[in-house]
Amino acid sequence: MFQESSASRATFGQAHVSGHVSEPRRPVFVGGCPRSGTTLLRSMLNSHPELAIPHETYFVVPAWRRRDAFGDLTEEAERRAVARWIVETPKTRYPRLALTEDELSDALAAAPPTIGSLMAAAFAASAAKQDKPRWGDKRPSYITNMNAVFGLFPNAQFVNIIRDPRGAISSMKRIGWSWGGLPSATEMWTRSIESGDTWRRRLGPDQFMNVYYEDLVTSPEAVVAQLVAFLGLDPAGVEAMLHHHEAKDIPTGTPFTEVAKPVNTDAMRTWEKELTAEDLAFIDHVAGPIMARHGYEPAAPVGAAPDAEKLRKLRKIRSRRTGEIRKRQAVELKRKFTYRHPAASRLHLDD
């Protein structure tokens, strides 16, 4: 049962708030395990008058992975070709930038010749259209693709939202996002948390902040104030963030209707009615040490045991995903020798 105190949370969140120097053009990224509150957090941040974060896009990580397939970006025609790739590639969700094709093409044409600069130019143009000086992007999987985020945007700030695994896992099961059932959802949670913990240790104190879903919904004003301080945003925008729901800013036809409501605790403990004793035993067995690091106590009844078949399935999922990660790492290692061009954004260096 979740019983962590706000004092112990400070170790993971508030410790990184003080002592930073804000840079107005630093991008903001939001990630975390799916169904942990990334959409709620994105909606609240986007409500700040200084920060624009569109609904989930999907071209930043693909651009990073295929950066060596783009042409010579010192040529304007090649920068415009990247814009066409964003517009024409299926599933990039480009319309969420609210830019016309010409606006996007012109923004990239005017950007410095690195793939990070082109990505930044797209979001900056979207933010400028809303009269906002800063931009960001939200996607749960950013937390497991941090090399892409910080390879493209070395000065970025990252907000990682963490939720009780039982809440995230039961939510994934409820809406059909646990493609491989309980083992897949549990593996996704542990992988997301471990990646966040690793990058939190690597990054500077002004670059990474953990936000706990339970804190956000029980003490929204306090958490939002910490976020604003961490990001260097105007504290006057806190009130707008707390009233994010009034904008009705949610994608249509999605399972995110709760975002259109004021922040509430309704979903915080629904897992108690949705997960079986066997489910809880499985989660405790697999994720127990990581849960303890983040203040989540075990909840399985005494005597409950994880299902052996589900444990076998988990091992297969981990083996497959480990193989996929190693293949990507091998490709990235090769790029260190074959891709001789800078990738990081230079947009923030220009006045």
Side-chain angles (χ1 to χ4, degrees):
M1 185 175 296
F2 177 82
Q3 292 182 344
E4 187 180 28
S5 68
S6 58
S8 61
R9 285 213 183 282
T11 303
F12 280 92
Q14 298 174 31
H16 281 183
V17 173
S18 61
H20 77 280
V21 178
S22 176
E23 295 180 20
R25 301 182 76 171
R26 297 180 74 177
V28 176
F29 285 84
V30 174
C33 178
R35 305 307 294 169
S36 291
T38 57
T39 300
L40 171 62
L41 188 56
R42 172 259 158 203
S43 181
M44 298 178 81
L45 287 168
N46 185 61
S47 296
H48 194 285
E50 295 178 343
L51 180 60
I53 300 183
H55 295 296
E56 281 187 28
T57 63
Y58 190 54
F59 56 84
V60 171
V61 173
W64 166 259
R65 290 179 179 170
R66 72 182 310 273
R67 60 192 182 279
D68 50 357
F70 297 120
D72 181 359
L73 297 181
T74 63
E75 299 291 334
E76 179 181 326
E78 297 299 338
R79 299 197 294 279
R80 291 188 183 276
V82 175
R84 288 197 300 275
W85 170 79
I86 293 174
V87 171
E88 296 173 2
T89 301
K91 299 183 180 180
T92 62
R93 299 178 178 176
Y94 139 76
R96 293 182 172 184
L97 294 177
L99 297 172
T100 67
E101 294 184 25
D102 286 344
E103 288 171 335
L104 179 65
S105 183
D106 289 346
L108 270 59
T114 70
I115 191 61
S117 299
L118 270 58
M119 299 297 101
F123 289 101
S126 179
K129 202 168 183 180
Q130 303 171 60
D131 295 320
K132 293 189 175 186
R134 290 182 68 180
W135 63 269
D137 197 26
K138 167 261 181 181
R139 191 169 183 83
S141 61
Y142 278 140
I143 193 60
T144 52
N145 288 279
M146 299 288 273
N147 62 327
V149 173
F150 286 95
L152 294 169
F153 314 105
N155 73 325
Q157 292 181 287
F158 197 95
V159 182
N160 176 41
I161 188 161
I162 297 174
R163 184 181 184 182
D164 186 318
R166 290 149 303 207
I169 291 165
S170 65
S171 182
M172 280 189 269
K173 290 181 64 178
R174 188 188 322 120
I175 66 172
W177 282 12
S178 56
W179 301 274
L182 181 67
S184 179
T186 306
E187 190 277 339
M188 187 177 297
W189 187 87
T190 57
R191 182 159 43 95
S192 298
I193 301 300
E194 288 177 333
S195 180
D197 287 352
T198 296
W199 279 89
R200 178 181 174 274
R201 291 189 294 268
R202 292 180 184 177
L203 294 170
D206 64 326
Q207 288 193 286
F208 190 99
M209 180 180 180
N210 279 338
V211 169
Y212 290 84
Y213 172 82
E214 293 79 15
D215 288 347
L216 182 61
V217 298
T218 56
S219 304
E221 188 169 356
V223 173
V224 166
Q226 292 170 17
L227 266 172
V228 165
F230 169 70
L231 297 173
L233 297 170
D234 185 349
V238 166
E239 194 65 22
M241 295 173 70
L242 294 173
H243 289 83
H244 70 99
H245 56 284
E246 295 177 0
K248 306 294 183 184
D249 182 29
I250 60 172
T252 57
T254 70
F256 306 118
T257 53
E258 287 296 313
V259 179
K261 303 176 184 178
V263 177
N264 61 77
T265 60
D266 293 351
M268 197 168 83
R269 304 195 68 87
T270 54
W271 59 267
E272 293 178 330
K273 298 179 179 179
E274 297 174 346
L275 297 177
T276 67
E278 184 183 272
D279 292 338
L280 296 175
F282 181 90
I283 295 168
D284 286 354
H285 179 82
V286 174
I290 303 175
M291 291 164 58
R293 278 207 310 267
H294 290 271
Y296 296 110
E297 297 184 357
V302 176
D307 180 78
E309 180 58 35
K310 286 186 172 67
L311 289 174
R312 283 192 288 271
K313 186 173 182 180
L314 174 72
R315 288 192 288 271
K316 290 182 180 180
I317 292 170
R318 280 181 169 167
S319 177
R320 183 180 73 249
R321 288 180 176 166
T322 298
E324 293 169 354
I325 291 169
R326 286 176 177 169
K327 286 181 181 178
R328 286 176 182 165
Q329 289 174 336
V331 171
E332 284 302 312
L333 181 61
K334 181 181 178 181
R335 282 199 181 104
K336 288 184 178 181
F337 299 98
T338 61
Y339 189 71
R340 299 292 185 176
H341 309 288
S345 173
R346 297 177 181 172
L347 199 64
H348 69 286
L349 300 177
D350 299 336
D351 294 326

